[in-house]
């Protein structure tokens, strides 16, 4: 589900402008605007303060809960302004996050206070006799609800903007926005921002009101993409302390992660700092892991600069580093607060790297979406030539698919297993080639064709599915067959890797194009395909 | 809320014996037994398979949801056997975990299959024409529900036990059991098992069906407590690979955590391994952090052997190591699957260490529970002499308090802040004394008395509360006043520590005995108290 198919809920503290912004946003998007408090008042036949007086807060919350549930069921997508306490309840927040796009409007406490002083009516929880008392009540209310206000798919800092400008900002963001809900405490968005990474990063950081901010990148990426991002963050008042990693897979280890943590500690980082990771998989995995460890987890923003990072690695909350030869043996699930995907950042990648990234996009199509696969078949020559518009579309659709799978299975229990299509043989080949012969995408390309052949041998995968898959991968310039020199080694790695799971391997195979399933197969069955060629 | 005040829900896969065990357990506990399926059938006037046939699975789930909600509201605590799919729904699971004790009955798939073959009736989701088909359906069902079955406060491996023995095991465990619910995906229990740590660890590990198991300890603890734990785990079929840390605070660093991860990797650990941490805070913090990192998080069991670990450190999911001089700067929130608290393990601690642990117990009493504080006043001489029964009671009540606070505020947002009573000044004193002058508990003891005086100066804390607090701490043999030589240094650390939060410190003070609140105070106000003596 993407942002465009859903209701938009405006959430945030009292006095932040949810109603005014909501009305402007509805006009901008040509949607109906609904104000939850107004609906509750209409149904109750009295004002919100009168409901509080007559029924207490529990009575009001009950009315609010059923009113919101009823609205969420309506078919026509609307813009709905919530009350300042609507989503404090975790169960209702969970429903809202799964059924709608939740946009959080935020402002510094003193800004909210100033707005409430100007318009103090109808807010029973902060209504007080004196300004001092109102300020104390507001402070206590904001503190007790801080965890609830920190959750939403998209956060907007409203301090310096007029309502119409806020509405415009939200409308622009939503144009390429994929919401991702992990739990009632953890939701964010993947921002498709072609050509606009720097501004998106700055906006996203500003909306987190960080004490200090940091940017981790590597030397190669820094030379290409660092300046505009730092400039935009600085303009937003959040000039980052920049940490440059040496780069390269050998540097993806716990010492690099510790060096980031040391830099954080020695540059005033605290629990309210934000870290931006700008780079390929080594940078986002390592920096994300450092963010997970520092003070038991600080907020971070992922900005992948490679196609493979955009379509796969940066989405799903996996962070980590290698332990000697064990890839990603150390790590954490630590979701970023936003993923900024700007396909134009990949223009500096080598054609081989872009092709490798596309292998993961083809995988998404093959396991989930046959029409996306057909699109690959139609546009394969343009993609092979790295046509920017085609790359952007491949990235966009892959993001939607990966996000959907992660949302439905955040803990990687069962559904998410199908994302491993092509990866069992792929990993064996990468290991056999000591991570030098093939890129990850190339190994997965060979692995997918092998998996299709295993599926065919099992009678699960139709002939033409095997052929179409191999044809697209070949046309993209990707390898589809293991070189003879690596086959024996790959098979023995496959066996070693799986020995603890018993004699059978749980293997992802295609039932038809766009639909994957898992089957238990013996190593011999996989080995036959690999060794048979 | 402790286990004894709640309904008991028996949860787990179909065919695991929920109904039979539930009836036996209800008899054993003299509670009423309720079978959810039977209640649904009575209300519907037809059998479960007939409801499935007439209303589909959604219709049945709707009936199930309202039936369980109604049962949870009943006052008389019962034993309730659930269906095999009742808590698959996350929202209902969350309600069940917060409103009851959820005991999960588990068994190896082949054991379940054998039981279903013996009694195949009335299970519509696995009802099939052939044994092969039933086996395949059951396998798919268990896989898709694996995440839901992994959640419960207490898990019991039923494979080798008769229903009456299982009921007896549960009844014994529940005698000293404090359930802790973090989320719909994360709940566990603190097991108060005086004199019975080894058996509890073995039971807890066995119920996790690990591929391989590990035990991390240090040399001192190993000499005192390792053998019985290893023996019990071995008898249960889970002999652990033992990893012995050098021990001591200097070893609480990322290199120790990495060395544990290396040992895991080189001894067949995988995502289904379990790690037991047996020791003081250095061991549980370091090993828990290693468990959080390995393969992005494996299951672990915390077995604190110090009073301070039992009453405070091991409860709450905080793991971590020091970064040079920054205490716990690196870490993760990674809750264990069980905490085994056996106060008798502390008998080998020094009197000074025991006193220090009791300082945190006094803190729990002072901020939350005035009758617990009165108990301290009445029993202070016996506690000062480390009377085992008194220690056990102090540990039990502290566990209940800490668990309750963590459950209400798992992310350490607001409520959990009151646990820092005495810690602001305490940390400053520890730092000023380079962590050599005072133990943590001693520093907190002085910090609590300082906080009481600050509260008194603010007009929040009554005189007699200050005096009672100081009197109990002194009678326990704990320091209550900062030595003159450290005062200046402590005040300057206080200022340095807080500089980024602006000029005011959020400080925990007592409103009365058993009730804490936070106030913003200036450093000068705290400094006056410290420097004034």
């Amino acid at each position: 589900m993407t942002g465009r198919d859903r209701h938009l809920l405006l959430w945030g503290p009292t006095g932040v402008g949810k109603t005014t912004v909501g009305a402007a946003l509805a006009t901008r998007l040509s949607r109906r605007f609904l104000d939850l408090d107004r609906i509750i008042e209409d149904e109750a036949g009295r004002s919100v303060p009168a409901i509080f007086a007559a029924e207490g807060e529990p009575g009001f919350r009950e009315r609010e809960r059923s009113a919101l549930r009823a609205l969420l069921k309506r078919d026509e997508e609307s813009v709905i302004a919530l009350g300042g306490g609507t989503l404090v309840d975790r169960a209702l927040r969970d429903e809202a996050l799964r059924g709608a796009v939740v946009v959080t409007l935020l402002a510094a406490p003193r800004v909210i206070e100033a707005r409430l002083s100007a318009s103090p009516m109808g807010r029973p929880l902060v209504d007080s006799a004196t300004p001092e008392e109102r300020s104390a009540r507001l402070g206590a209310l904001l503190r007790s609800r801080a965890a609830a206000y920190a959750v939403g798919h998209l956060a907007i800092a409203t301090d310096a903007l007029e309502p119409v400008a806020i509405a415009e900002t939200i409308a622009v963001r939503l144009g390429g926005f994929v919401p991702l809900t992990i739990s009632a405490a953890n939701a964010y968005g993947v921002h498709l921002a072609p050509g606009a990474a720097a501004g998106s990063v700055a906006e996203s950081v500003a909306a987190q009101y960080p004490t200090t901010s940091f940017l981790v990148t590597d030397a190669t990426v820094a030379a290409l993409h660092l300046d505009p991002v730092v400039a935009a963050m600085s303009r937003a008042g959040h000039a980052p302390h920049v940490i440059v990693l040496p780069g390269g897979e050998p540097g993806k280890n716990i010492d690099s992660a510790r060096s980031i943590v040391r830099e954080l500690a020695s540059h005033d980082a605290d629990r309210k700092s934000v870290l931006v990771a700008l780079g390929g998989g080594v940078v986002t995995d390592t920096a994300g892991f450092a963010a997970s460890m520092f003070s038991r987890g600080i907020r971070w923003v992922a900005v992948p600069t490679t196609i493979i990072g955009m379509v796969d690695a940066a989405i799903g909350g996996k962070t980590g580093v290698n332990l000697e030869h064990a890839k990603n043996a150390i790590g954490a699930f630590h979701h970023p607060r936003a993923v900024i995907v700007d396909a134009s950042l990949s223009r500096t990648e080598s054609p081989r790297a872009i092709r490798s990234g596309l292998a993961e996009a083809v995988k998404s199509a093959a396991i989930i979406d046959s029409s996306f696969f057909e699109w690959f078949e139609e546009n394969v020559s343009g993609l092979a030539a790295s046509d920017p518009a085609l790359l952007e579309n491949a990235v966009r659709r892959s993001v939607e698919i990966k996000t959907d799978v992660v949302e439905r299975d955040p803990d990687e229990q069962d559904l998410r297993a199908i994302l491993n299509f092509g990866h069992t043989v792929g990993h064996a080949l990468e290991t056999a080639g000591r991570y030098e012969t093939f890129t990850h995408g190339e190994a997965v390309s060979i692995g997918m064709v092998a998996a299709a052949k295993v599926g065919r041998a099992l009678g699960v995968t139709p002939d033409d599915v095997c052929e179409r898959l191999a044809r697209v991968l070949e046309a993209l310039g990707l390898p589809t067959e293991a070189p003879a020199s690596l086959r024996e080694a790959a098979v023995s790695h496959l066996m070693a890797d799986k020995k603890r799971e018993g004699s059978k391997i749980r293997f992802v195979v295609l039932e038809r194009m766009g639909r994957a399933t898992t089957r238990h197969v013996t190593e011999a069955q996989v080995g036959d395909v690999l060794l048979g060629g």
Side-chain angles (χ1 to χ4, degrees), chain A:
Chain A
M1 200 192 289
T2 69
R4 274 161 298 184
D5 316 323
R6 299 198 195 184
H7 290 292
L8 283 180
L9 305 185
L10 293 181
W11 163 235
T14 186
V16 87
K18 295 184 291 292
T19 306
T20 325
V21 171
L25 182 61
T27 305
R28 170 67 172 72
L29 298 175
S30 308
R31 286 191 180 193
R32 184 203 290 263
F33 174 64
L34 300 165
D35 183 323
L36 189 62
D37 275 355
R38 186 59 47 88
I39 287 170
I40 295 166
E41 289 179 334
D42 287 351
E43 279 172 10
R46 48 184 160 190
S47 70
V48 169
I51 299 171
F52 265 78
E55 304 171 23
E57 187 173 349
F60 176 78
R61 295 293 167 217
E62 189 51 49
R63 287 180 177 277
E64 192 177 36
R65 199 163 21 240
S66 34
L68 180 58
R69 282 188 177 139
L71 291 184
L72 287 174
K73 282 187 191 140
R74 285 202 198 172
D75 275 343
E76 183 201 352
E77 288 88 34
S78 327
V79 175
I80 305 172
L82 304 180
T86 311
L87 301 187
V88 168
D89 178 75
R90 285 177 70 101
L92 193 61
R93 200 190 318 150
D94 193 68
E95 288 175 47
L97 288 166
R98 293 186 195 283
V101 174
V102 177
V103 178
T104 314
L105 302 186
L106 298 168
R110 57 182 168 66
V111 173
I112 296 176
E113 217 175 297
R115 288 185 195 157
L116 287 185
S117 301
S119 142
M121 289 300 123
R123 296 186 165 96
L125 288 178
V126 292
D127 193 20
S128 305
T130 68
E132 292 72 30
E133 209 180 308
R134 188 196 298 137
S135 170
R137 278 199 186 196
L138 182 68
L141 199 67
L142 292 178
R143 264 202 311 282
S144 72
R145 292 178 173 174
Y149 291 143
V151 185
H153 296 114
L154 172 64
I156 302 284
T158 66
D159 312 63
L161 295 174
E162 291 300 313
V164 172
I166 299 167
E168 182 61 26
T169 303
I170 297 171
V172 169
R173 282 281 154 271
L174 290 174
F177 185 78
V178 186
L180 178 47
T181 304
I182 304 301
S183 71
N186 191 356
Y188 58 103
V190 182
H191 302 248
L192 295 155
S200 293
V201 171
E203 248 180 54
S204 176
V205 169
Q208 295 177 58
Y209 294 86
T211 46
T212 50
S213 58
F214 295 82
L215 190 152
V216 178
T217 187
D218 67 27
T220 312
V221 173
L224 299 167
H225 304 300
L226 181 61
D227 289 350
V229 177
V230 170
M233 288 177 71
S234 303
R235 277 196 303 275
H238 297 285
H241 175 71
V242 176
I243 301 166
V244 181
L245 302 179
E249 188 77 22
K252 190 178 161 182
N253 56 42
I254 203 166
D255 290 320
S256 297
R258 174 166 49 184
S259 76
I260 296 171
V261 169
R262 273 213 188 93
E263 285 272 314
L264 295 174
S266 59
H267 287 84
D268 283 352
D270 61 22
R271 293 171 63 182
K272 292 178 178 170
S273 298
V274 166
L275 184 158
V276 174
L278 173 73
V282 171
V283 167
T284 53
D285 282 4
T286 309
F289 181 48
S292 85
M293 289 197 291
F294 184 78
S295 284
R296 300 195 184 92
I298 60 169
R299 298 167 295 175
W300 71 294
V301 174
V303 193
T305 56
T306 57
I307 293 289
I308 200 161
M310 297 177 203
V311 304
D312 190 45
I315 299 167
K318 286 187 186 178
T319 71
V321 296
N322 304 329
L323 176 72
E324 282 89 48
H325 301 297
K327 289 263 169 185
N328 298 313
I330 297 182
F333 277 101
H334 185 54
H335 288 271
R337 284 300 173 104
V339 182
I340 312 292
V341 171
D342 174 358
S344 78
L345 296 179
S346 74
R347 66 180 181 274
T348 51
E349 274 200 287
S350 72
R352 184 182 178 191
I354 290 176
R355 282 198 300 270
S356 299
L358 288 175
E360 290 279 5
V362 169
K363 180 202 73 181
S364 295
I367 60 174
I368 298 271
D369 185 345
S370 62
S371 68
F372 185 32
F373 192 85
E374 284 159 20
W375 178 87
F376 266 105
E377 293 179 313
E378 284 157 22
N379 295 283
V380 72
S381 58
L383 284 164
S386 300
D387 177 278
L390 293 175
L391 280 183
E392 193 193 312
N393 189 63
V395 165
R396 171 185 295 264
R397 188 65 196 117
S398 301
V399 164
E400 288 168 353
I401 291 172
K402 178 86 191 263
T403 304
D404 187 52
V405 172
V406 168
E407 182 161 290
R408 281 150 62 201
D409 185 10
D411 307 317
E412 226 182 10
Q413 294 284 348
D414 200 55
L415 172 65
R416 206 163 155 177
I418 63 168
L419 294 174
N420 286 325
F421 178 59
H423 280 61
T424 308
V425 168
H427 282 308
L429 277 170
E430 279 182 283
T431 312
R434 295 161 179 269
Y435 293 92
E436 287 166 4
T437 313
F438 294 118
T439 65
H440 177 67
E442 289 166 348
V444 167
S445 175
I446 299 170
M448 286 193 282
V449 174
K453 288 176 183 168
V454 170
R456 187 170 57 187
L458 293 171
V460 178
T461 309
D463 275 356
D464 74 303
V465 168
C466 289
E467 286 152 21
R468 288 171 65 196
L469 184 62
R471 209 178 304 133
V472 158
L473 293 168
E474 271 165 24
L476 286 173
L478 286 159
T480 55
E481 215 170 277
S485 60
L486 286 183
R487 285 178 199 165
E488 293 280 358
V491 170
S492 77
H493 279 291
L494 204 62
M495 309 246 177
D497 205 34
K498 295 296 157 189
K499 68 173 185 289
R500 268 165 275 127
E501 302 213 356
S503 61
K504 292 220 169 185
I505 304 174
R506 200 160 153 233
F507 207 80
V508 185
V509 292
L510 299 179
E511 288 183 324
R512 56 172 192 267
M513 191 53 80
R515 187 176 173 88
T517 184
T518 56
R519 285 285 188 279
H520 284 90
V521 302
T522 61
E523 287 117 358
Q525 287 174 302
V526 183
D528 282 352
V529 164
L530 266 182
L531 299 174

